[in-house]
């Protein structure tokens, strides 16, 4: 249950980028891959960052980890040592990533939890209103696309995603009016306030989008 569009062309890695990625991932052009970068702190930090970004894992690694060799240590020093969140300790283990998988397939995989721990791209932090190759990121089953119901299915999904996209700013305005920023006290008020707005919006608008799990 992978997406029908060519996911490997989303990033369009250069030859130099592909050479770099081959040292840290089992492949650079497939939706299923292992993370083989040797440093556990980098693997853990990459997974945490990945769940809150709309980029692919390999693009994040190039943009944030290759350019900053201490990215992994910085993450664990902040989250584990300063915040005391020991849940990130389990991120430094063997990882397999599956990108562009349907929500239904993701839930089926995640139900088999014995001996495994799953993370997925969080719809509370990541919006699904962006298009790839002029297509919204929802699953297109080949049996449906090749049937007489294809146009109806695509129209229904497109309409749902259009509604989702249009309601993001509307809900943001609504929530900010009923919970104004002056009612909150944060160390970093604007950043934390708008994060809380986003979390509430995504919970209201969560849909059957394509997911990445690992």
């Amino acid at each position: 249950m992978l997406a029908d569009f060519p996911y490997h062309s989303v990033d369009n890695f250069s030859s130099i980028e592909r050479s770099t990625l081959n040292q840290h991932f089992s492949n650079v052009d497939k939706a299923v891959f292992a993370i083989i970068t040797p440093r556990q702190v980098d693997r853990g930090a990459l997974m945490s960052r990945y769940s809150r970004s709309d980029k692919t894992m390999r693009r994040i690694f190039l943009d944030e980890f290759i350019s900053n060799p201490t990215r992994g240590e910085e993450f664990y020093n902040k989250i584990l040592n300063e915040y005391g969140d020991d849940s990130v300790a389990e991120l430094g283990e063997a990882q397999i990533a599956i990108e562009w998988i349907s929500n239904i397939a993701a839930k089926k995989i995640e139900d088999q939890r014995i001996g495994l721990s799953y993370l997925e791209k969080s719809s509370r932090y990541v919006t699904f209103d962006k298009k790839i190759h002029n297509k919204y990121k929802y699953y297109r089953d080949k049996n449906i696309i090749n049937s007489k119901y294809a146009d109806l299915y695509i129209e229904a999904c497109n309409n749902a995603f259009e509604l989702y996209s249009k309601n993001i700013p509307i809900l943001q305005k609504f929530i900010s009016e009923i919970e104004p920023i002056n009612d909150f006290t944060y160390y970093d008020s604007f950043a934390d306030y708008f994060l809380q707005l986003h979390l509430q919006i995504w919970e209201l608008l969560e849909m059957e989008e394509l997911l990445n799990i690992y």
Side-chain angles (χ1 to χ4, degrees):
M1 285 190 174
L2 296 173
D4 66 324
F5 52 78
Y7 43 82
H8 53 79
S9 68
V10 171
D11 291 304
N12 194 24
F13 299 123
S14 68
S15 58
I16 295 177
E17 288 175 331
R18 293 170 67 89
S19 177
T20 299
L21 289 172
N22 275 322
Q23 302 174 48
H24 301 277
F25 300 90
S26 60
N27 65 71
V28 299
D29 57 1
K30 294 181 173 61
V32 181
F33 55 91
I35 308 166
I36 61 174
T37 192
R39 289 156 41 92
Q40 285 188 339
V41 290
D42 288 340
R43 294 202 301 268
L46 176 61
M47 290 180 67
S48 179
R49 177 71 181 90
Y50 183 55
S51 68
R52 290 168 169 79
S53 171
D54 62 354
K55 297 180 182 180
T56 63
M57 178 177 284
R58 287 167 289 206
R59 174 52 64 192
I60 294 173
F61 188 78
L62 288 171
D63 291 349
E64 301 183 15
F65 288 78
I66 293 299
S67 60
N68 181 7
T70 63
R71 181 72 169 84
E73 286 95 336
E74 292 171 0
F75 168 80
Y76 276 96
N77 283 336
K78 182 176 182 179
I79 303 301
L80 183 59
N81 296 340
E82 295 182 18
Y83 294 169
D85 183 357
D86 60 1
S87 66
V88 298
E90 70 177 21
L91 300 178
E93 53 189 19
Q95 296 98 3
I96 297 293
I98 308 174
E99 295 187 332
W100 310 115
I101 191 172
S102 76
N103 203 328
I104 295 174
K107 300 310 178 188
K108 187 68 175 179
I109 293 172
E110 291 171 346
D111 284 344
Q112 318 304 315
R113 300 190 64 88
I114 298 178
L116 298 172
S117 178
Y118 297 99
L119 292 175
E120 67 179 45
K121 195 170 285 292
S122 175
S123 57
R124 297 198 306 159
Y125 293 89
V126 180
T127 59
F128 291 83
D129 56 336
K130 296 182 177 64
K131 294 182 179 181
I132 295 179
H133 304 311
N134 203 34
K135 294 181 178 180
Y136 283 116
K137 292 182 283 186
Y138 59 82
Y139 179 65
R140 296 165 174 82
D141 186 273
K142 290 182 178 179
N143 291 328
I144 296 177
I145 298 303
N146 293 329
S147 73
K148 63 181 181 180
Y149 303 106
D151 291 342
L152 181 61
Y153 175 79
I154 291 173
E155 180 182 5
C157 289
N158 283 340
N159 287 340
F161 271 75
E162 288 288 349
L163 182 62
Y164 165 89
S165 303
K166 291 177 180 178
N167 274 283
I168 291 175
I170 295 173
L171 283 173
Q172 186 175 30
K173 182 176 183 295
F174 171 73
I175 294 173
S176 65
E177 289 174 351
I178 63 175
E179 296 185 357
I181 191 170
N182 291 334
D183 291 350
F184 294 84
T185 301
Y186 295 105
Y187 291 109
D188 188 1
S189 58
F190 284 102
D192 289 338
Y193 174 71
F194 284 108
L195 173 59
Q196 292 304 315
L197 289 186
H198 291 166
L199 295 182
Q200 293 183 58
I201 291 169
W202 307 156
E203 288 172 354
L204 289 170
L205 296 178
E206 192 167 329
M207 308 176 59
E208 293 300 316
E209 66 279 332
L210 287 172
L211 295 178
N212 300 326
I213 63 173
Y214 38 94

